[in-house]
Amino acid sequence: AAWLGINIFLFTYYFLFFDRDERYFYTRAILGSALAWARASAKCLNFNSMLILLPVCRNLLSFLRGTCSCCRRTLRKQLDHNLTFHKLVAYALALLTAVHTIAHLFNLERYNQSQQATDRSLPAVLSKMHQQGSNKWLNPIHSNQTTVEYVAFTTIPGLTGVIITLALILMVTSSTEFIRRNYFELFWYTHHLFLIYFAGLVIHGIAGLVRGQTEQSMAEVHPHNCAEYLTQRDQNCTDKCCKDPEFGSIPAESWKWVLAPIILYVFERILRVWRAQQKVVVTKVVMHPARVLELQMQKKGFCMEVGQYIFVNCPTISPLEWHPFTLTSAPEEDFFSIHIRAAGDWTERLIDTFQLEIPRIEVDGPFGTASEDVFQYEVAMLVGAGIGVTPFASILKSIWYKFQQADQNLKTKKIYFYWLCRDTGAFAWFNDLLASLEQKMAESGKADFLTYRLFLTGWDTSIANNVALHFDTATDTVTGLRHKTIFGRPMWNTEFAAVAAAHPRSVVGVFLCGPEALAKSLQKSCHQHSSLDPRKVKFYFNKENF
């Protein structure tokens, strides 16, 4: 809301400024309202270009998350929407670029028409003033043979404008969900066109083709008093208004807006490159069912919190590609681990490579996520879909260690864990952890601390028949755990109603690592089951975003 308000303010303020300010009286005589449209959209473009890099400065966000640990929960939650905000700013840039480009196409056409006009109209007279001296030109088109296309592809503003627009189009179109999911490499490489975008943006305004009357000239020949003399005066005119007005360029300002974010981003990249160069030792490689690869690693100085993620690069596969993976280890362990599911060209090649040899791995991170706040809630609902269970592996392992160490500072009193999987193989690598937790909590007298529900969303008749035959056994036939696997999808209204009834005065944190459709469903349930009474149950939704 603040971002939208600032955009509206900037656009309105500068639109009215360039539409009414007397310094641009003569410029408006040629260009009309298109001047205000171009300049107002330019200011908003500068503002949004200043913001676009900040949401992807992950070290900055992790630092802010740490410093905001004592802030209000709603304030910290805003940091979890960094990629959503990044996309929102990108769409705004695309829209504002379209407005700015269309406005300047109108401007060029009107400049051209005014230059070719042969009457004594004010636009025609102003367009011929370049013949009177170097500081007196207002129309950048000085020849009747010049075309709009020529100006667009030969001047600095025109050429950089074309390059910026093409770079932006490629970045936005390659960022669609379909491209990112199926052709990540295309998304990754085209997104680095932001370097060209910012270089073009800084250079774009240095030629100063759009001009206004200078302050000194305004004091001598104010357009309010002297504009009519330009079209009516003769060679013997002696009035003070007979002097020609002088014009100056609007100074380039884009660099002032983007300099600080660019410096910040450069430091961010330097830090990440330095950290990535530190040696990583792969201590253990485990191949789980359903093509899930587990890597256990060690790195000097590596320090993590639950639910955080890292970026992984394998130079053998691609020296430039970095992919995010949630850490599945606990902070209490002397190694850090990730689980990688085969889902695309890069992960397929990585798994195949590790089956032949152990290649060199580079790691950047860790970076903070919403799941870091899980122990800030009295009650937590953890929802994982498929490989989306990984951040909760870290949380549940950490709980296991806290119980083992009899941690008295654990604020969380109850955890509900939901895992949705399409096939039984996906359960295999997580069973041991859940079984250990069951045993440890039973030994600690806190068997009710963790309630987990496993949902199998895809099955065949053989699995169903096997379950029916062993329905009365103490352990589940699919997982071997005490809690039975549920076939189908959760009824979220029922689940939330049960949690609300069991904890009528608690603040419940709902954490998801899964698809967007599930996120919308859970967010809706959070709103429906949260009480308006601040003394009663409240559900707060948190989603993993990479």
Side-chain angles (χ1 to χ4, degrees), residues 154-190:
T154 58
T155 61
I156 291 175
L159 189 58
T160 56
V162 170
I163 292 170
I164 288 171
T165 304
L166 288 175
L168 195 60
I169 289 171
L170 287 171
M171 284 190 287
V172 171
T173 53
S174 65
S175 300
T176 59
E177 187 75 13
F178 177 80
I179 296 290
R180 283 190 294 113
R181 293 293 180 190
N182 297 284
Y183 305 98
F184 183 85
E185 292 82 1
L186 179 62
F187 158 75
W188 176 262
Y189 289 117
T190 54

mmCIF file of all heavy atoms in Angstrom, residues 154-190:
data_model
loop_
_atom_site.group_PDB
_atom_site.id
_atom_site.type_symbol
_atom_site.label_atom_id
_atom_site.label_comp_id
_atom_site.label_asym_id
_atom_site.label_seq_id
_atom_site.Cartn_x
_atom_site.Cartn_y
_atom_site.Cartn_z
ATOM 1 N N THR A 154 19.270 6.532 -33.586
ATOM 2 C CA THR A 154 20.581 7.178 -33.732
ATOM 3 C C THR A 154 20.936 8.081 -32.553
ATOM 4 O O THR A 154 22.109 8.388 -32.362
ATOM 5 C CB THR A 154 20.641 8.021 -35.022
ATOM 6 O OG1 THR A 154 19.593 9.002 -35.002
ATOM 7 C CG2 THR A 154 20.495 7.135 -36.250
ATOM 8 N N THR A 155 19.948 8.516 -31.780
ATOM 9 C CA THR A 155 20.243 9.359 -30.616
ATOM 10 C C THR A 155 20.458 8.475 -29.384
ATOM 11 O O THR A 155 19.994 7.334 -29.338
ATOM 12 C CB THR A 155 19.100 10.344 -30.337
ATOM 13 O OG1 THR A 155 17.900 9.602 -30.053
ATOM 14 C CG2 THR A 155 18.861 11.247 -31.538
ATOM 15 N N ILE A 156 21.157 9.016 -28.393
ATOM 16 C CA ILE A 156 21.412 8.253 -27.156
ATOM 17 C C ILE A 156 20.119 7.885 -26.445
ATOM 18 O O ILE A 156 19.918 6.717 -26.073
ATOM 19 C CB ILE A 156 22.363 9.040 -26.222
ATOM 20 C CG1 ILE A 156 23.757 9.102 -26.837
ATOM 21 C CG2 ILE A 156 22.422 8.393 -24.836
ATOM 22 C CD1 ILE A 156 24.736 9.955 -26.049
ATOM 23 N N PRO A 157 19.179 8.843 -26.235
ATOM 24 C CA PRO A 157 17.925 8.465 -25.579
ATOM 25 C C PRO A 157 17.119 7.443 -26.382
ATOM 26 O O PRO A 157 16.533 6.517 -25.806
ATOM 27 C CB PRO A 157 17.161 9.784 -25.456
ATOM 28 C CG PRO A 157 18.198 10.839 -25.547
ATOM 29 C CD PRO A 157 19.229 10.299 -26.481
ATOM 30 N N GLY A 158 17.105 7.603 -27.691
ATOM 31 C CA GLY A 158 16.332 6.682 -28.523
ATOM 32 C C GLY A 158 16.901 5.274 -28.513
ATOM 33 O O GLY A 158 16.187 4.302 -28.280
ATOM 34 N N LEU A 159 18.221 5.165 -28.723
ATOM 35 C CA LEU A 159 18.859 3.854 -28.805
ATOM 36 C C LEU A 159 18.838 3.146 -27.453
ATOM 37 O O LEU A 159 18.508 1.948 -27.376
ATOM 38 C CB LEU A 159 20.295 4.013 -29.302
ATOM 39 C CG LEU A 159 21.042 2.717 -29.645
ATOM 40 C CD1 LEU A 159 20.298 1.933 -30.716
ATOM 41 C CD2 LEU A 159 22.460 3.029 -30.113
ATOM 42 N N THR A 160 19.180 3.875 -26.371
ATOM 43 C CA THR A 160 19.138 3.245 -25.050
ATOM 44 C C THR A 160 17.715 2.875 -24.662
ATOM 45 O O THR A 160 17.496 1.857 -23.997
ATOM 46 C CB THR A 160 19.740 4.173 -23.975
ATOM 47 O OG1 THR A 160 19.056 5.439 -23.998
ATOM 48 C CG2 THR A 160 21.222 4.373 -24.197
ATOM 49 N N GLY A 161 16.752 3.692 -25.097
ATOM 50 C CA GLY A 161 15.350 3.376 -24.818
ATOM 51 C C GLY A 161 14.920 2.071 -25.466
ATOM 52 O O GLY A 161 14.237 1.246 -24.849
ATOM 53 N N VAL A 162 15.336 1.857 -26.701
ATOM 54 C CA VAL A 162 15.026 0.609 -27.411
ATOM 55 C C VAL A 162 15.678 -0.581 -26.712
ATOM 56 O O VAL A 162 15.044 -1.619 -26.490
ATOM 57 C CB VAL A 162 15.489 0.694 -28.889
ATOM 58 C CG1 VAL A 162 15.386 -0.667 -29.562
ATOM 59 C CG2 VAL A 162 14.665 1.724 -29.653
ATOM 60 N N ILE A 163 16.951 -0.419 -26.328
ATOM 61 C CA ILE A 163 17.687 -1.517 -25.672
ATOM 62 C C ILE A 163 17.063 -1.849 -24.317
ATOM 63 O O ILE A 163 16.864 -3.030 -23.984
ATOM 64 C CB ILE A 163 19.172 -1.137 -25.508
ATOM 65 C CG1 ILE A 163 19.847 -1.059 -26.883
ATOM 66 C CG2 ILE A 163 19.899 -2.140 -24.627
ATOM 67 C CD1 ILE A 163 21.246 -0.472 -26.864
ATOM 68 N N ILE A 164 16.747 -0.812 -23.529
ATOM 69 C CA ILE A 164 16.120 -1.022 -22.216
ATOM 70 C C ILE A 164 14.796 -1.759 -22.359
ATOM 71 O O ILE A 164 14.503 -2.702 -21.621
ATOM 72 C CB ILE A 164 15.896 0.339 -21.507
ATOM 73 C CG1 ILE A 164 17.209 0.928 -21.038
ATOM 74 C CG2 ILE A 164 14.953 0.172 -20.312
ATOM 75 C CD1 ILE A 164 17.083 2.349 -20.528
ATOM 76 N N THR A 165 13.994 -1.326 -23.322
ATOM 77 C CA THR A 165 12.674 -1.936 -23.517
ATOM 78 C C THR A 165 12.795 -3.397 -23.924
ATOM 79 O O THR A 165 12.075 -4.255 -23.405
ATOM 80 C CB THR A 165 11.881 -1.152 -24.590
ATOM 81 O OG1 THR A 165 11.792 0.224 -24.191
ATOM 82 C CG2 THR A 165 10.482 -1.718 -24.750
ATOM 83 N N LEU A 166 13.715 -3.705 -24.847
ATOM 84 C CA LEU A 166 13.908 -5.095 -25.271
ATOM 85 C C LEU A 166 14.394 -5.962 -24.105
ATOM 86 O O LEU A 166 13.921 -7.090 -23.922
ATOM 87 C CB LEU A 166 14.915 -5.151 -26.428
ATOM 88 C CG LEU A 166 14.428 -4.627 -27.778
ATOM 89 C CD1 LEU A 166 15.567 -4.633 -28.798
ATOM 90 C CD2 LEU A 166 13.254 -5.449 -28.298
ATOM 91 N N ALA A 167 15.322 -5.432 -23.316
ATOM 92 C CA ALA A 167 15.832 -6.181 -22.159
ATOM 93 C C ALA A 167 14.715 -6.458 -21.165
ATOM 94 O O ALA A 167 14.593 -7.576 -20.636
ATOM 95 C CB ALA A 167 16.958 -5.399 -21.481
ATOM 96 N N LEU A 168 13.870 -5.464 -20.936
ATOM 97 C CA LEU A 168 12.764 -5.619 -19.986
ATOM 98 C C LEU A 168 11.743 -6.635 -20.488
ATOM 99 O O LEU A 168 11.245 -7.469 -19.718
ATOM 100 C CB LEU A 168 12.105 -4.262 -19.750
ATOM 101 C CG LEU A 168 11.181 -4.143 -18.533
ATOM 102 C CD1 LEU A 168 11.951 -4.433 -17.255
ATOM 103 C CD2 LEU A 168 10.556 -2.757 -18.472
ATOM 104 N N ILE A 169 11.447 -6.585 -21.791
ATOM 105 C CA ILE A 169 10.495 -7.541 -22.375
ATOM 106 C C ILE A 169 11.007 -8.968 -22.210
ATOM 107 O O ILE A 169 10.267 -9.876 -21.818
ATOM 108 C CB ILE A 169 10.248 -7.222 -23.869
ATOM 109 C CG1 ILE A 169 9.422 -5.935 -24.005
ATOM 110 C CG2 ILE A 169 9.526 -8.381 -24.571
ATOM 111 C CD1 ILE A 169 9.318 -5.424 -25.420
ATOM 112 N N LEU A 170 12.291 -9.179 -22.495
ATOM 113 C CA LEU A 170 12.871 -10.521 -22.373
ATOM 114 C C LEU A 170 12.871 -11.003 -20.926
ATOM 115 O O LEU A 170 12.566 -12.173 -20.647
ATOM 116 C CB LEU A 170 14.295 -10.521 -22.925
ATOM 117 C CG LEU A 170 14.421 -10.438 -24.452
ATOM 118 C CD1 LEU A 170 15.875 -10.227 -24.857
ATOM 119 C CD2 LEU A 170 13.873 -11.691 -25.105
ATOM 120 N N MET A 171 13.191 -10.114 -19.992
ATOM 121 C CA MET A 171 13.219 -10.505 -18.585
ATOM 122 C C MET A 171 11.830 -10.848 -18.064
ATOM 123 O O MET A 171 11.653 -11.842 -17.352
ATOM 124 C CB MET A 171 13.842 -9.391 -17.737
ATOM 125 C CG MET A 171 15.350 -9.316 -17.847
ATOM 126 S SD MET A 171 16.089 -8.185 -16.637
ATOM 127 C CE MET A 171 15.600 -6.598 -17.323
ATOM 128 N N VAL A 172 10.843 -10.040 -18.423
ATOM 129 C CA VAL A 172 9.479 -10.268 -17.923
ATOM 130 C C VAL A 172 8.872 -11.528 -18.532
ATOM 131 O O VAL A 172 8.291 -12.357 -17.828
ATOM 132 C CB VAL A 172 8.588 -9.040 -18.207
ATOM 133 C CG1 VAL A 172 7.126 -9.350 -17.895
ATOM 134 C CG2 VAL A 172 9.044 -7.843 -17.378
ATOM 135 N N THR A 173 9.019 -11.712 -19.848
ATOM 136 C CA THR A 173 8.404 -12.876 -20.507
ATOM 137 C C THR A 173 9.064 -14.186 -20.100
ATOM 138 O O THR A 173 8.406 -15.224 -20.038
ATOM 139 C CB THR A 173 8.461 -12.720 -22.037
ATOM 140 O OG1 THR A 173 9.824 -12.457 -22.437
ATOM 141 C CG2 THR A 173 7.574 -11.578 -22.511
ATOM 142 N N SER A 174 10.367 -14.145 -19.794
ATOM 143 C CA SER A 174 11.051 -15.379 -19.393
ATOM 144 C C SER A 174 10.876 -15.683 -17.907
ATOM 145 O O SER A 174 11.399 -16.678 -17.413
ATOM 146 C CB SER A 174 12.545 -15.289 -19.717
ATOM 147 O OG SER A 174 13.169 -14.279 -18.945
ATOM 148 N N SER A 175 10.148 -14.818 -17.195
ATOM 149 C CA SER A 175 9.936 -15.013 -15.758
ATOM 150 C C SER A 175 8.581 -15.648 -15.455
ATOM 151 O O SER A 175 8.227 -15.770 -14.281
ATOM 152 C CB SER A 175 10.037 -13.667 -15.031
ATOM 153 O OG SER A 175 11.295 -13.091 -15.227
ATOM 154 N N THR A 176 7.851 -16.025 -16.469
ATOM 155 C CA THR A 176 6.552 -16.650 -16.235
ATOM 156 C C THR A 176 6.737 -17.998 -15.534
ATOM 157 O O THR A 176 7.807 -18.610 -15.602
ATOM 158 C CB THR A 176 5.803 -16.864 -17.559
ATOM 159 O OG1 THR A 176 6.600 -17.703 -18.411
ATOM 160 C CG2 THR A 176 5.527 -15.544 -18.258
ATOM 161 N N GLU A 177 5.705 -18.441 -14.840
ATOM 162 C CA GLU A 177 5.768 -19.687 -14.077
ATOM 163 C C GLU A 177 6.166 -20.861 -14.963
ATOM 164 O O GLU A 177 6.978 -21.704 -14.575
ATOM 165 C CB GLU A 177 4.401 -19.950 -13.434
ATOM 166 C CG GLU A 177 4.361 -21.124 -12.488
ATOM 167 C CD GLU A 177 5.008 -20.849 -11.148
ATOM 168 O OE1 GLU A 177 5.284 -19.664 -10.845
ATOM 169 O OE2 GLU A 177 5.265 -21.809 -10.402
ATOM 170 N N PHE A 178 5.611 -20.930 -16.168
ATOM 171 C CA PHE A 178 5.889 -22.038 -17.076
ATOM 172 C C PHE A 178 7.370 -22.084 -17.459
ATOM 173 O O PHE A 178 7.998 -23.152 -17.431
ATOM 174 C CB PHE A 178 5.031 -21.904 -18.337
ATOM 175 C CG PHE A 178 5.307 -22.962 -19.364
ATOM 176 C CD1 PHE A 178 4.755 -24.230 -19.237
ATOM 177 C CD2 PHE A 178 6.126 -22.703 -20.461
ATOM 178 C CE1 PHE A 178 5.022 -25.219 -20.172
ATOM 179 C CE2 PHE A 178 6.402 -23.682 -21.404
ATOM 180 C CZ PHE A 178 5.838 -24.940 -21.259
ATOM 181 N N ILE A 179 7.933 -20.918 -17.788
ATOM 182 C CA ILE A 179 9.342 -20.861 -18.191
ATOM 183 C C ILE A 179 10.239 -21.225 -17.013
ATOM 184 O O ILE A 179 11.189 -22.020 -17.147
ATOM 185 C CB ILE A 179 9.712 -19.450 -18.711
ATOM 186 C CG1 ILE A 179 8.930 -19.121 -19.984
ATOM 187 C CG2 ILE A 179 11.213 -19.348 -18.963
ATOM 188 C CD1 ILE A 179 9.329 -19.909 -21.194
ATOM 189 N N ARG A 180 9.951 -20.689 -15.845
ATOM 190 C CA ARG A 180 10.805 -20.944 -14.682
ATOM 191 C C ARG A 180 10.787 -22.415 -14.277
ATOM 192 O O ARG A 180 11.796 -22.965 -13.842
ATOM 193 C CB ARG A 180 10.368 -20.070 -13.509
ATOM 194 C CG ARG A 180 10.814 -18.625 -13.636
ATOM 195 C CD ARG A 180 10.601 -17.817 -12.370
ATOM 196 N NE ARG A 180 9.193 -17.652 -12.058
ATOM 197 C CZ ARG A 180 8.576 -18.187 -11.013
ATOM 198 N NH1 ARG A 180 9.256 -18.957 -10.176
ATOM 199 N NH2 ARG A 180 7.303 -17.972 -10.781
ATOM 200 N N ARG A 181 9.617 -23.054 -14.396
ATOM 201 C CA ARG A 181 9.502 -24.451 -13.988
ATOM 202 C C ARG A 181 10.121 -25.414 -14.994
ATOM 203 O O ARG A 181 10.707 -26.426 -14.624
ATOM 204 C CB ARG A 181 8.015 -24.813 -13.805
ATOM 205 C CG ARG A 181 7.334 -24.095 -12.648
ATOM 206 C CD ARG A 181 7.881 -24.543 -11.316
ATOM 207 N NE ARG A 181 7.227 -23.869 -10.196
ATOM 208 C CZ ARG A 181 7.635 -23.933 -8.951
ATOM 209 N NH1 ARG A 181 8.718 -24.617 -8.647
ATOM 210 N NH2 ARG A 181 6.989 -23.292 -8.005
ATOM 211 N N ASN A 182 9.985 -25.097 -16.285
ATOM 212 C CA ASN A 182 10.393 -26.038 -17.324
ATOM 213 C C ASN A 182 11.698 -25.665 -18.028
ATOM 214 O O ASN A 182 12.368 -26.547 -18.573
ATOM 215 C CB ASN A 182 9.275 -26.154 -18.367
ATOM 216 C CG ASN A 182 7.991 -26.711 -17.774
ATOM 217 O OD1 ASN A 182 7.872 -27.913 -17.520
ATOM 218 N ND2 ASN A 182 7.014 -25.843 -17.533
ATOM 219 N N TYR A 183 12.036 -24.384 -18.036
ATOM 220 C CA TYR A 183 13.260 -23.943 -18.713
ATOM 221 C C TYR A 183 13.996 -22.951 -17.810
ATOM 222 O O TYR A 183 14.168 -21.776 -18.154
ATOM 223 C CB TYR A 183 12.937 -23.290 -20.063
ATOM 224 C CG TYR A 183 12.122 -24.160 -20.976
ATOM 225 C CD1 TYR A 183 10.737 -24.002 -21.062
ATOM 226 C CD2 TYR A 183 12.717 -25.161 -21.746
ATOM 227 C CE1 TYR A 183 9.969 -24.816 -21.880
ATOM 228 C CE2 TYR A 183 11.961 -25.970 -22.574
ATOM 229 C CZ TYR A 183 10.591 -25.791 -22.637
ATOM 230 O OH TYR A 183 9.842 -26.592 -23.452
ATOM 231 N N PHE A 184 14.425 -23.443 -16.655
ATOM 232 C CA PHE A 184 15.021 -22.551 -15.656
ATOM 233 C C PHE A 184 16.261 -21.844 -16.193
ATOM 234 O O PHE A 184 16.509 -20.675 -15.878
ATOM 235 C CB PHE A 184 15.382 -23.345 -14.392
ATOM 236 C CG PHE A 184 15.928 -22.476 -13.295
ATOM 237 C CD1 PHE A 184 15.080 -21.822 -12.427
ATOM 238 C CD2 PHE A 184 17.304 -22.304 -13.138
ATOM 239 C CE1 PHE A 184 15.573 -21.010 -11.419
ATOM 240 C CE2 PHE A 184 17.813 -21.490 -12.130
ATOM 241 C CZ PHE A 184 16.942 -20.848 -11.267
ATOM 242 N N GLU A 185 17.040 -22.545 -17.022
ATOM 243 C CA GLU A 185 18.265 -21.948 -17.560
ATOM 244 C C GLU A 185 17.940 -20.699 -18.381
ATOM 245 O O GLU A 185 18.659 -19.704 -18.315
ATOM 246 C CB GLU A 185 19.021 -22.960 -18.429
ATOM 247 C CG GLU A 185 19.601 -24.134 -17.652
ATOM 248 C CD GLU A 185 18.585 -25.229 -17.366
ATOM 249 O OE1 GLU A 185 17.415 -25.084 -17.794
ATOM 250 O OE2 GLU A 185 18.948 -26.219 -16.701
ATOM 251 N N LEU A 186 16.861 -20.764 -19.157
ATOM 252 C CA LEU A 186 16.443 -19.608 -19.952
ATOM 253 C C LEU A 186 16.101 -18.439 -19.042
ATOM 254 O O LEU A 186 16.516 -17.300 -19.298
ATOM 255 C CB LEU A 186 15.229 -19.983 -20.806
ATOM 256 C CG LEU A 186 14.642 -18.873 -21.684
ATOM 257 C CD1 LEU A 186 15.663 -18.398 -22.706
ATOM 258 C CD2 LEU A 186 13.368 -19.359 -22.386
ATOM 259 N N PHE A 187 15.353 -18.709 -17.993
ATOM 260 C CA PHE A 187 15.009 -17.676 -17.008
ATOM 261 C C PHE A 187 16.277 -17.100 -16.377
ATOM 262 O O PHE A 187 16.429 -15.888 -16.232
ATOM 263 C CB PHE A 187 14.090 -18.272 -15.942
ATOM 264 C CG PHE A 187 14.079 -17.514 -14.639
ATOM 265 C CD1 PHE A 187 13.410 -16.311 -14.538
ATOM 266 C CD2 PHE A 187 14.749 -18.004 -13.517
ATOM 267 C CE1 PHE A 187 13.410 -15.603 -13.336
ATOM 268 C CE2 PHE A 187 14.755 -17.308 -12.330
ATOM 269 C CZ PHE A 187 14.076 -16.108 -12.236
ATOM 270 N N TRP A 188 17.193 -17.983 -15.996
ATOM 271 C CA TRP A 188 18.399 -17.571 -15.282
ATOM 272 C C TRP A 188 19.263 -16.640 -16.126
ATOM 273 O O TRP A 188 19.691 -15.576 -15.673
ATOM 274 C CB TRP A 188 19.185 -18.814 -14.877
ATOM 275 C CG TRP A 188 20.493 -18.525 -14.212
ATOM 276 C CD1 TRP A 188 21.725 -18.510 -14.790
ATOM 277 C CD2 TRP A 188 20.707 -18.183 -12.839
ATOM 278 N NE1 TRP A 188 22.695 -18.202 -13.860
ATOM 279 C CE2 TRP A 188 22.092 -17.986 -12.650
ATOM 280 C CE3 TRP A 188 19.854 -18.034 -11.744
ATOM 281 C CZ2 TRP A 188 22.638 -17.653 -11.432
ATOM 282 C CZ3 TRP A 188 20.413 -17.704 -10.524
ATOM 283 C CH2 TRP A 188 21.784 -17.512 -10.380
ATOM 284 N N TYR A 189 19.509 -17.023 -17.374
ATOM 285 C CA TYR A 189 20.407 -16.236 -18.220
ATOM 286 C C TYR A 189 19.764 -14.927 -18.679
ATOM 287 O O TYR A 189 20.429 -13.883 -18.699
ATOM 288 C CB TYR A 189 20.863 -17.065 -19.421
ATOM 289 C CG TYR A 189 21.825 -18.166 -19.044
ATOM 290 C CD1 TYR A 189 21.503 -19.505 -19.242
ATOM 291 C CD2 TYR A 189 23.063 -17.889 -18.459
ATOM 292 C CE1 TYR A 189 22.373 -20.529 -18.875
ATOM 293 C CE2 TYR A 189 23.940 -18.893 -18.095
ATOM 294 C CZ TYR A 189 23.592 -20.215 -18.306
ATOM 295 O OH TYR A 189 24.457 -21.205 -17.932
ATOM 296 N N THR A 190 18.501 -14.952 -19.069
ATOM 297 C CA THR A 190 17.859 -13.718 -19.530
ATOM 298 C C THR A 190 17.686 -12.719 -18.394
ATOM 299 O O THR A 190 17.698 -11.507 -18.624
ATOM 300 C CB THR A 190 16.486 -13.998 -20.165
ATOM 301 O OG1 THR A 190 15.671 -14.744 -19.245
ATOM 302 C CG2 THR A 190 16.623 -14.774 -21.453
#
